[in-house]
Amino acid sequence: MTPTAPVGTPAGPRPVTVACCQLALQVGRVEENRARIRAAVEDAAAQGAGIVVLPELANCGYVFEDAAELHALAEPLDGPTVREWTELAARLRLVIAGGFAERGDDGRTYNSAVLVDETGPRAAYRKAHLWNGEKTWGFTPGSRRPPVVDTRHGRIGLMVCYDLEFPEWVRLAALDGADLLCGPVNWPLYPRPEGERPGEIVRVQADAAVNRMFVAVADRVGTERGQDWLGGSTVVDADGYPVTASRLGQEAILTATVDLAQARDKSISEHNDVHQDRRPTLYTHPGSDPS
């Protein structure tokens, strides 16, 4: 499951229904979480979805007491959670992107995501930018760039939650040819000015617009050990506009039928292209990556 660069399809992608499963998951309740995910994926498939996105750390929940609890809940890449998602993808002819706590062969624990389709696992990714408690619970940050995989629906990139807030990181997936970027997330519910949309959604819209790339994020809902979750799942089009109805704070399966071929046109005017107009040599400073 080594991340692979896209190779493209001669005919290009066709319209596909993307489903984001916004679920109430609980830390430590692995079997219950798996059952909830299984039912949601089957429901999404019944609604015509070809691509399904699941939340971050969907197998085990998020708010851990300590590193020992996290390590006990983590699974290897070929563990029961990924095996079940692979079976669901094969049986329902889906692409599934979801987050799980991974126990690596090196004994370390990673906040990971996996992409599977009817042929089996296609790519695995370890979150590179750790958020808050993830730094104290024992997660190790990943060090590989986000994968982009060619599927029968188009080129799909993969990253996790806080990664989406680093424009340089998102740009890597876009430059590698992603038509759709899938992001399993757990967005905490924070106060915001009355009438304003959550900043996390605004930033995802920016990710999509500045790269002319679709973005789909699956968030979670409910309260876990005192932490309230936003429930901000959305699919954003290549112009940066949400194409799913907002269901903040509610369990839901949000779907949108999108034409991923639109992401391969990077022009925004007669003389402007969001990738070709870049001038990377102007953006560098000592020790930076100009890509």
Side-chain angles (χ1 to χ4, degrees):
M1 292 196 300
T2 302
T4 56
V7 296
T9 52
R14 297 179 179 180
V16 60
T17 298
V18 180
C20 297
C21 297
Q22 184 162 283
L23 304 173
L25 305 168
Q26 289 296 323
V27 66
R29 299 181 183 177
V30 175
E31 293 301 325
E32 293 178 30
N33 293 340
R34 287 194 196 123
R36 190 178 292 273
I37 291 165
R38 182 168 58 250
V41 171
E42 291 173 341
D43 192 355
Q47 295 184 43
I51 300 170
V52 176
V53 189
L54 303 171
E56 179 182 10
L57 296 174
N59 67 320
C60 61
Y62 187 90
V63 184
F64 307 101
E65 289 184 349
D66 51 34
E69 182 180 40
L70 166 60
H71 188 75
L73 293 170
E75 302 177 20
L77 194 52
D78 60 355
T81 293
V82 176
R83 287 201 306 269
E84 180 168 57
W85 295 352
T86 301
E87 184 277 329
L88 285 169
R91 175 163 58 87
L92 301 172
R93 287 185 56 79
L94 298 172
V95 175
I96 299 175
F100 72 108
E102 179 194 356
R103 187 185 310 123
D105 293 338
D106 56 6
R108 297 178 178 180
T109 307
Y110 298 91
N111 186 338
S112 295
V114 66
L115 185 77
V116 302
D117 64 14
E118 63 266 30
T119 69
R122 297 296 308 279
Y125 169 76
R126 293 168 173 172
K127 186 176 183 179
H129 305 90
L130 300 183
W131 172 258
N132 201 15
E134 295 169 33
K135 296 184 177 184
T136 61
W137 292 326
F139 281 114
T140 297
S143 57
R144 293 185 177 179
R145 65 194 289 145
V148 176
V149 176
D150 194 45
T151 75
R152 66 189 181 92
H153 296 301
R155 302 165 182 161
I156 299 180
L158 186 65
M159 61 182 62
V160 178
C161 203
Y162 191 37
D163 290 324
L164 293 163
E165 302 200 23
F166 292 83
E168 308 94 327
W169 203 241
V170 175
R171 180 76 82 184
L172 292 180
L175 293 176
D176 282 345
D179 303 315
L180 169 69
L181 180 61
C182 291
V185 307
N186 283 347
W187 283 336
L189 178 62
Y190 290 131
R192 60 183 183 273
E194 185 175 355
E196 290 289 347
R197 288 168 300 146
E200 294 87 350
I201 295 176
V202 173
R203 289 187 284 275
V204 165
Q205 290 183 243
D207 288 339
V210 299
N211 289 291
R212 283 207 44 79
M213 171 178 66
F214 291 84
V215 180
V217 294
D219 196 9
R220 59 186 299 193
V221 294
T223 301
E224 182 184 62
R225 290 180 174 168
Q227 176 62 64
D228 295 324
W229 301 108
L230 172 64
S233 302
T234 187
V235 179
V236 180
D237 69 18
D239 292 317
Y241 296 108
V243 289
T244 48
S246 175
R247 298 289 294 275
L248 294 178
Q250 305 174 49
E251 279 200 290
I253 296 174
L254 295 92
T255 63
T257 300
V258 295
D259 182 1
L260 296 183
Q262 295 175 3
R264 301 192 180 181
D265 177 7
K266 304 300 182 182
S267 62
I268 55 174
S269 78
E270 183 179 358
H271 300 293
N272 292 103
D273 181 294
V274 296
H275 283 184
Q276 293 181 12
D277 287 346
R278 295 171 60 248
R279 300 181 63 190
T281 57
L282 300 182
Y283 313 150
T284 61
H285 59 83
S288 69
D289 180 354
S291 62

